[in-house]
Amino acid sequence: MSSYNPAAPTDDHSSDEVRPTPEDAYTGAPSILNEITWITHAAADPESHSDLDREYFLRKAAVFDRIALSRDPDIPYGSDTETAHATALYLMDLDHASAICDPRAYVRQQYARWAHQQ
């Protein structure tokens, strides 16, 4: 059983905070294909293109994390892993997260919290 609680406060980005495993973070998530479709439609919408919100960037970072995990979670390099890392860093920057932590672990934490609130 996981010790991760997605209902915990969302403003704490401390590096010693418990982070969810990928399984905990993405349990119940839409399929990767459905998420890619959602991301593509959101980015292609002329009305929202200039005003993409945090949900867009969170879901994009999470789907790239999931793709990298599905390829081979133990390989710390390669285009899938690099893309997942880059989108995770972008989300951390967008959130002004000051934590020193694995950016992809941050994405999992934030995705789990977001999904719990939906």
Side-chain angles (χ1 to χ4, degrees):
M1 174 149 220
S2 170
S3 61
Y4 180 70
N5 177 6
T10 59
D11 294 335
D12 183 8
H13 303 302
S14 63
S15 60
D16 60 347
E17 186 176 350
V18 175
R19 306 277 181 194
T21 64
E23 295 79 18
D24 287 339
Y26 302 128
T27 296
S31 71
I32 289 174
L33 181 59
N34 284 348
E35 283 294 81
I36 291 171
T37 301
W38 185 91
I39 290 164
T40 303
H41 284 245
D45 181 1
E47 291 181 19
S48 70
H49 185 59
S50 63
D51 192 29
L52 295 173
D53 62 4
R54 182 179 188 272
E55 177 183 358
Y56 170 82
F57 292 105
L58 174 61
R59 290 173 74 170
K60 182 177 180 178
V63 80
F64 281 120
D65 183 43
R66 292 170 61 198
I67 290 168
L69 288 166
S70 72
R71 299 286 194 232
D72 189 343
D74 297 324
I75 296 178
Y77 55 85
S79 62
D80 294 332
T81 302
E82 291 168 9
T83 301
H85 186 80
T87 56
L89 285 173
Y90 187 85
L91 179 69
M92 288 183 78
D93 187 51
L94 182 71
D95 286 352
H96 304 288
S98 59
I100 306 297
C101 67
D102 174 13
R104 290 174 60 193
Y106 176 81
V107 168
R108 294 173 198 143
Q109 174 203 51
Q110 296 301 306
Y111 187 87
R113 288 179 175 172
W114 172 80
H116 180 75
Q117 295 171 355
Q118 298 306 304

